[in-house]
């Protein structure tokens, strides 16, 4: 077979050579040990939480080695692609502060010298490599129709063939003569380009996965499709060309690709390229609410599978990243304890500390992490985050919340920046309810009065407070003042004292403050009541005390 002639016949317009590409995309000038990673999503319209996991890994591995991470859009499967799929992915990364060094940055925009970073714009590269493979006898055109491939499948079934696919004696087009090929082309028959596998059934290959260790698998013997009939590459061929010419050192991808590695290694070798290091990461799992079994997070069943869920609910990005890192790297929590103030993105990510089996994503744990993160934030930062969130997702609350920024910041500041801050808020969509009594009149429910306090006693407490409340007082003075009311009301000013002799009193000072709290806020549990009352002001407090008293 005259392979040079065949290549010219199949790719008459391709003049670019692999050597030209080597010159255009030279090895990167990076320090010793620097890693080049890539995140390569298909634009299917949303960013899966597993995608955020993967991207975070790519970015951190590159950062920790002074390397490069880039975002490549894999849009070769037009059937799966949905409109505007790229911007959903970019929005997801932006929301969580995940930044790549190079690659796609927006619709039609990108940065970096190794582009284009969108596969549909890289066809000239795939064709140059494909032409060379044909010239070297390592690829051939296949004219098999869908029916012919079906018939092949049936034959293999009937034969009980252990390996299924296009290979060896089943590969009908592997040894077509030049005349047959020319006739097929002249007849306008569609063709795909297939890899001519040099593998043999009885050989095995071994490779090192950086998480899973040494892996042994049967050698690839399948004549895999490289280019589809429209000239667009398959995932396998695009992976080989792209990760070579983009000079990726570490291919970090989902474990579903593990079984394809023999194919990929065979293709890298056929092209004469160095095989990159492989890292196959575990799936993100959850415990099924009904069965309790571990299963993959599914977009259909689990709203939290889409990263946009966390944005809509208003989880702070720091909390989500922090939680993902505890799942991704077993030594993150130790590092965090030793480096409390350091940015999560500066964590020295270690691939060896990644687990090989599916990690469990637990919304409740994220909620705890988030409460902790928020409890350490400054009130002014929370104000900014809540305002930004509400503007988008709760416009009515936004108007109320931002009407007086100093007031809203002050109420967020109650019991904050103290040694043990409260952990009441997990996400911004809880803030409206959390602060509701500052903005609307609370509906205090008499049924929530402390058990020991009768409606009559409650009325007396409210009247006493109304007459004697001094909003200028600090916490201690205010509490001392309340204690001062106790003897006349029949309550004990000291809790300890009360416990020694409960029969002598109606209750203790805690009951008195609970009644006031309930009247002022409608709740039985709030941050510091003294500050709440100060911020509401004497008039509003009096109004609420009277209003509740009237209900009793
Ligand atoms: N586009 C592939 C996917 O979304 C990427 C796999 C890879 O990272 O190589 O599954």
């Amino acid at each position: 077979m005259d392979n040079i002639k065949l290549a010219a016949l199949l790719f008459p317009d391709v003049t670019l050579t692999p050597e030209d590409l080597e010159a255009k995309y030279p090895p990167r000038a990076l320090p010793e040990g620097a890693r080049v990673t890539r995140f390569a999503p298909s634009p299917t319209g949303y960013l899966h939480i597993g995608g955020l996991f993967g991207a975070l890994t790519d970015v951190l591995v590159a950062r920790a080695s002074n390397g490069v991470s880039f975002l490549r859009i894999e849009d070769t499967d037009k059937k799966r692609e949905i409109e505007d799929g790229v911007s959903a992915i970019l929005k997801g990364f932006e929301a969580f502060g995940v930044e790549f060094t190079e690659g796609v940055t927006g619709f039609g925009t990108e940065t970096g010298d190794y582009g284009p970073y969108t596969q549909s714009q890289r066809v000239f590269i795939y064709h140059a490599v494909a032409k060379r493979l044909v010239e070297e006898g390592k690829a051939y055109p296949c004219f098999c129709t869908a029916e012919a491939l079906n018939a092949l499948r049936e034959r293999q079934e009937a034969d009980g063939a252990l390996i299924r696919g296009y290979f060896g004696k089943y590969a009908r087009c592997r040894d077509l003569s030049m005349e047959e090929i020319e006739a097929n082309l002249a007849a306008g028959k569609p063709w795909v380009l297939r890899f001519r596998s040099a593998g043999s059934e009885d050989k095995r290959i071994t490779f090192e996965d950086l998480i899973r260790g040494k892996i042994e698998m049967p050698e690839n013997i399948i004549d895999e499709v490289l280019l589809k009939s429209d000239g667009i590459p398959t995932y396998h061929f695009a992976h080989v060309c792209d990760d070579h010419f983009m000079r990726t050192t570490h291919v970090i991808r989902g474990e579903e690709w593990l079984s394809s590695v023999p194919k990929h290694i065979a293709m890298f070798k056929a092209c004469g390229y160095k095989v990159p290091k492989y890292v196959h990461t575990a799936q993100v799992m959850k415990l099924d609410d009904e069965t309790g079994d571990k299963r993959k997070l599914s977009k259909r069943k689990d709203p939290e599978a889409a990263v946009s869920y966390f944005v809509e609910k208003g989880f702070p990005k720091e909390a989500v990243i922090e939680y993902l890192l505890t799942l991704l790297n077993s030594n993150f929590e130790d590092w965090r304890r030793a480096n409390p103030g350091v940015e999560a993105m500066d964590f020295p990510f270690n691939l060896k500390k990644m687990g090989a089996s599916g990690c469990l994503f637990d919304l409740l744990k994220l909620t705890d992490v988030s409460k902790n993160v928020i409890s350490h934030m400054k009130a002014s930062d929370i104000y900014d985050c809540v305002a930004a969130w509400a503007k988008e997702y709760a416009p009515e609350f936004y108007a109320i919340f931002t009407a007086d920024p100093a007031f809203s910041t002050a109420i967020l500041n109650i019991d904050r920046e103290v040694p043990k801050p409260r952990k009441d808020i997990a996400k911004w969509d809880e803030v409206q309810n959390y602060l509701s009594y500052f903005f609307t009149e609370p509906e205090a429910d008499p049924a929530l009065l402390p058990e020991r306090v009768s409606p009559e006693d409650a009325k007396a407490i409210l009247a006493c407070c109304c007459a004697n409340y001094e909003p200028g007082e600090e916490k201690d003075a205010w509490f001392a003042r309340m204690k001062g009311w106790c003897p006349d009301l029949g309550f004990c000013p000291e809790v300890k004292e009360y416990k020694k002799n409960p029969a002598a009193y109606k209750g203790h000072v805690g009951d008195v403050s609970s009644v006031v709290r309930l009247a002022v806020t409608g709740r039985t549990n709030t941050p510091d009541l003294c500050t709440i009352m100060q911020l509401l002001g004497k008039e509003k407090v009096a109004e609420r005390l009277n209003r509740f008293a009237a209900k009793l």
Side-chain angles (χ1 to χ4, degrees):
M1 168 70 75
D2 183 346
N3 289 320
I4 303 288
K5 184 177 163 198
L6 175 59
L9 206 58
L10 296 176
F11 299 98
D13 302 326
V14 174
T15 52
L16 193 75
T17 66
E19 289 71 25
D20 297 334
L21 293 170
E22 293 293 337
K24 186 169 158 74
Y25 305 113
R28 292 167 183 269
L30 288 171
E32 181 79 20
R35 293 166 170 192
V36 180
T37 61
R38 86 293 191 275
F39 184 65
S42 303
T44 46
Y46 83 115
L47 183 60
H48 190 277
I49 187 77
L52 188 56
F53 258 64
L56 203 54
T57 310
D58 289 315
V59 168
L60 290 174
V61 165
R63 271 180 80 128
S65 65
N66 293 317
V68 169
S69 60
F70 62 86
L71 177 64
R72 177 171 76 220
I73 298 295
E74 305 214 324
D75 60 344
T76 56
D77 190 350
K78 292 284 174 199
K79 270 179 266 148
R80 278 177 59 212
E81 195 174 325
I82 75 151
E83 220 180 277
D84 217 16
V86 178
S87 66
I89 290 168
L90 290 171
K91 246 173 105 176
F93 289 135
E94 200 192 317
F96 292 98
V98 174
E99 282 176 22
F100 299 92
T101 335
E102 53 185 61
V104 173
T105 54
F107 187 69
T109 59
E110 59 178 35
T111 69
D113 296 334
Y114 289 80
Y117 293 87
T118 299
Q119 284 185 333
S120 58
Q121 292 162 24
R122 299 176 61 79
V123 171
F124 66 98
I125 296 173
Y126 311 127
H127 284 195
V129 179
K131 185 172 189 182
R132 175 61 52 83
L133 287 175
V134 176
E135 285 170 350
E136 293 177 347
K138 294 169 180 166
Y140 63 88
C142 166
F143 299 90
C144 284
T145 58
E147 292 77 48
L149 294 176
N150 271 337
L152 165 77
R153 226 164 282 134
E154 280 162 23
R155 231 181 93 206
Q156 289 184 335
E157 241 161 71
D159 289 358
L162 287 177
I163 302 172
R164 306 284 167 95
Y166 207 88
F167 69 96
K169 65 175 181 183
Y170 299 105
R172 264 197 359 189
C173 296
R174 197 176 160 104
D175 296 310
L176 293 181
S177 66
M178 183 66 90
E179 291 69 39
E180 286 169 301
I181 293 173
E182 276 173 330
N184 284 338
L185 291 175
K189 287 192 187 168
W191 55 277
V192 301
L193 190 73
R194 282 191 188 272
F195 180 56
R196 187 187 298 277
S197 167
S200 75
E201 230 167 298
D202 49 9
K203 284 209 191 116
R204 299 178 74 78
I205 61 155
T206 54
F207 63 94
E208 179 89 10
D209 179 286
L210 294 194
I211 299 180
R212 288 151 210 276
K214 196 168 154 193
I215 294 181
E216 196 188 304
M217 283 189 193
E219 197 169 64
N220 172 65
I221 60 161
I222 308 290
D223 287 357
E224 201 60 55
V225 174
L226 301 175
L227 296 176
K228 295 178 259 188
S229 57
D230 54 5
I232 299 293
T234 54
Y235 166 76
H236 309 297
F237 188 48
H239 155 50
V240 171
C241 298
D242 290 345
D243 285 317
H244 174 69
F245 286 112
M246 294 173 143
R247 308 294 174 181
T248 307
T249 62
H250 289 62
V251 170
I252 302 171
R253 61 184 178 186
E255 64 185 353
E256 66 275 20
W257 296 109
L258 188 60
S259 59
S260 302
V261 173
K263 243 175 247 178
H264 300 158
I265 291 183
M267 289 180 192
F268 271 101
K269 291 203 166 144
C271 293
Y273 303 154
K274 185 167 177 235
V275 181
K277 297 226 169 10
Y278 281 111
V279 184
H280 290 89
T281 57
Q283 303 258 19
V284 182
M285 316 282 276
K286 75 174 269 179
L287 287 183
D288 190 280
D289 295 336
E290 277 159 32
T291 63
D293 292 338
K294 217 171 160 181
R295 64 165 172 77
K296 250 170 74 175
L297 267 172
S298 106
K299 190 193 172 195
R300 204 168 38 81
K301 289 193 204 154
D302 313 305
E304 74 270 29
V307 162
S308 52
Y309 170 86
F310 303 95
V311 179
E312 283 156 25
K313 293 284 171 195
F315 280 99
K317 64 175 186 219
E318 296 80 4
V320 175
I321 298 292
E322 197 84 6
Y323 176 57
L324 292 188
L325 281 171
T326 61
L327 293 183
L328 274 173
N329 239 209
S330 57
N331 58 337
F332 177 74
E333 282 169 280
D334 288 343
W335 176 83
R336 177 44 92 211
R337 270 189 287 277
N339 302 276
V342 182
E343 281 229 13
M345 285 298 189
D346 288 331
F347 169 60
F349 196 93
N350 185 347
L351 279 172
K352 298 221 157 59
K353 301 281 181 189
M354 282 186 92
S357 58
C359 52
L360 265 192
F361 186 85
D362 183 344
L363 259 183
L364 283 179
K365 287 215 183 101
L366 167 64
T367 302
D368 284 345
V369 170
S370 193
K371 282 183 176 166
N372 193 36
V373 166
I374 293 177
S375 77
H376 290 106
M377 284 171 76
K378 288 205 332 231
S380 55
D381 291 339
I382 299 184
Y383 175 83
D384 292 342
C385 290
V386 173
W389 175 85
K391 191 171 187 184
E392 179 92 15
Y393 299 103
E396 281 175 26
F397 176 56
Y398 174 77
I400 302 168
F401 182 73
T402 57
D404 183 351
F407 177 71
S408 293
T409 309
I411 60 183
L412 286 167
N413 202 34
I414 305 177
D415 287 349
R416 198 163 282 284
E417 294 181 45
V418 290
K420 275 200 165 180
R422 293 174 68 96
K423 297 184 179 175
D424 292 327
I425 308 171
K427 47 191 175 31
W428 311 135
D429 76 347
E430 295 168 2
V431 172
Q432 177 167 14
N433 180 43
Y434 181 67
L435 300 180
S436 66
Y437 54 84
F438 283 103
F439 300 111
T440 50
E441 290 307 307
E443 273 315 322
D445 179 358
L448 294 177
L449 280 175
E451 248 175 67
R452 288 189 284 264
V453 182
S454 70
E456 284 65 39
D457 291 334
K459 272 188 184 169
I461 292 171
L462 296 169
C464 176
C465 181
C466 211
N468 299 299
Y469 169 56
E470 264 312 321
E473 275 170 351
E474 285 310 315
K475 215 167 158 178
D476 291 345
W478 148 236
F479 206 61
R481 177 179 287 271
M482 251 195 311
K483 284 182 180 178
W485 305 336
C486 284
D488 282 352
L489 292 164
F491 284 75
C492 182
E494 301 299 334
V495 181
K496 262 197 202 147
E497 207 45 52
Y498 170 79
K499 284 192 175 151
K500 277 190 216 152
N501 191 6
Y505 307 97
K506 292 176 175 170
H508 56 69
V509 63
D511 298 316
V512 174
S513 67
S514 292
V515 173
V516 176
R517 184 189 311 277
L518 183 61
V520 173
T521 66
R523 311 214 175 158
T524 53
N525 180 10
T526 66
D528 175 47
L529 182 59
C530 171
T531 321
I532 292 175
M533 288 167 71
Q534 264 173 13
L535 288 168
L536 285 170
K538 191 165 186 172
E539 217 173 293
K540 202 165 243 163
V541 166
E543 238 173 69
R544 290 185 181 186
L545 295 172
N546 288 327
R547 211 165 142 251
F548 188 44
K551 263 187 172 175
L552 296 171

